[in-house]
Amino acid sequence: MSSTHDQPLPPSGAVNLSALDERGVGQIVQSLGWPRYRTGQVLRWLYRRGVRTIDQMTDLSLTERRTLQTLATVRRITACQVFRSTDHTRKLVLTLEDGLNVEAVLIPDNDRLTLCVSSQVGCTLDCGFCLTGTMGLTRNLKPHEIVEQVLTAHEHLDKGERITNLVFMGMGEPLANLDSLSDAIRRLTNQTWGLKWSPRRITVSTAGLASRLKDVAPLGVNLAISLNATTEEQRARLMPVANGLASLKTLLAACRRYPLPPNRRLTFEYVLLAGVNDGRDDAQRLVKLLRGLSCKVNLIPFNEFPGNSFRRPLDQEVLAFQAILKRACIDTFIRKSRGRDVLGACGQLGTLLSHQPEPALTQIQPRC
Ligand code: SAH
């Protein structure tokens, strides 16, 4: 590595500032004998400005930057492939330090630009309709690898664009990586030095780790639960690991106990699989299960992928299902299919090979 300013090279194994939380940066600042306010300064550079080098931290003197460089470095992700759809949806494939890939998807929709982020490489769970589930779990993402997806997405925005919503609906089960998830959300929402995100614009989606739902509440973010079935048997068949951790009954009881702040509601996601869980009886059971809960429902018509025998229901079936919920006064939205030119649909992140047919993208339908 060559240096343009004769700066000392960081020692090998130098601390990666991006990987540190407030305490970690504070310790470095303290070890250098610097005043405490330097911690906030460094953190603001890392998160607010998303710098890639210590040299860019220009409110530190040149000497201070050199001193910091003897101990630490900024190792952001450099390898990011962007797959751009004709409808401006963009899938970002980021290569992590250990060479593994993780995916995030930017989804524009009228006044919204949603970023869908991953929480694991692969997934702990084995939901039968999800391609990521077939990969197994390779590893949990670290907090900075989650934040990195947001910082990198910022660098790939078109002129005038701003990310308005953040959803943890990419690869992985966020609640199976709760410590990293919480740490990342704290960095994203910190108003002093962090990315200043409002927690109200962040949604964490879980396949239903009931005992951990309560740990989401203190983060102030929205909670989405992937229900996907209306009987214990059906859920056990479709989502064996998730249902083994918590039955439908236990999960719904945890939802009822969830300390929802005023004017907020839970979101239930329901993947519609033709002839499996998309019948009128399913819709009627769903109405009963959700009775009394402050919630809305997102219906996700199944995104087909090679090697999987589930089928996407016809539009009329999806609409009939929606109508039953709406008649019961449950706000119900349909995520509809979009372009076919990048691979970014729900449950399809991860492993499709380039020679395989490309599935459709989905997106939440503009409000109905
Ligand atoms: N593990 C988390 C988040 C990742 S999946 C969870 O289960 O919520 C995000 C959403 O995509 C979930 O609601 C899931 O049920 C849905 N999904 C998974 N595979 C799908 C597929 N092939 N077609 C449509 N939706 C799918």
Side-chain angles (χ1 to χ4, degrees), residues 102-232:
V102 75
E103 301 179 7
V105 189
L106 270 168
I107 311 159
D109 165 29
N110 297 326
D111 54 337
R112 287 180 179 211
L113 179 60
T114 301
L115 179 67
C116 176
V117 293
S118 298
S119 53
Q120 298 183 312
V121 181
C123 187
T124 321
L125 307 175
D126 62 347
C127 305
F129 46 80
C130 179
L131 181 63
T132 313
T134 64
M135 294 171 67
L137 176 70
T138 305
R139 72 170 173 83
N140 280 332
L141 290 182
K142 297 176 189 132
H144 72 282
E145 292 171 329
I146 296 174
V147 176
E148 182 69 51
Q149 296 172 60
V150 182
L151 293 175
T152 305
H154 281 155
E155 296 172 351
H156 289 89
L157 294 180
D158 292 340
K159 209 161 167 259
E161 276 187 335
R162 199 174 64 87
I163 304 172
T164 58
N165 298 75
L166 197 61
V167 294
F168 284 83
M169 296 184 187
M171 295 163 73
E173 168 50 44
L175 298 196
N177 187 15
L178 192 59
D179 288 346
S180 289
L181 174 82
S182 309
D183 188 338
I185 288 174
R186 282 194 292 270
R187 298 183 200 195
L188 291 166
T189 54
N190 185 289
Q191 300 293 310
T192 314
W193 49 260
L195 282 160
K196 278 192 163 181
W197 268 82
S198 158
R200 297 184 75 107
R201 291 189 170 272
I202 301 177
T203 300
V204 170
S205 176
T206 176
L209 276 61
S211 63
R212 298 192 178 173
L213 296 192
K214 61 179 182 335
D215 300 315
V216 177
L219 301 170
V221 297
N222 303 303
L223 179 62
I225 299 106
S226 301
L227 210 58
N228 298 337
T230 55
T231 68
E232 298 290 352

Side-chain angles (χ1 to χ4, degrees), residues 11 16 26 56 90 99 157 178 227 259 262 274 277 288 302:
N16 179 10
Q56 289 171 281
R90 275 146 281 165
L157 294 180
L178 192 59
L227 210 58
N277 66 354
K288 282 202 189 123
F302 176 62

Side-chain angles (χ1 to χ4, degrees), residues 10 19 25 32 43-44 72 81 102 105 117 220 225 254 283 313 317 322 325 355:
V25 174
L32 291 170
L43 287 164
R44 272 190 292 277
Q81 274 184 291
V102 75
V105 189
V117 293
I225 299 106
E317 299 297 333
Q322 181 191 34
L325 270 71
H355 65 270

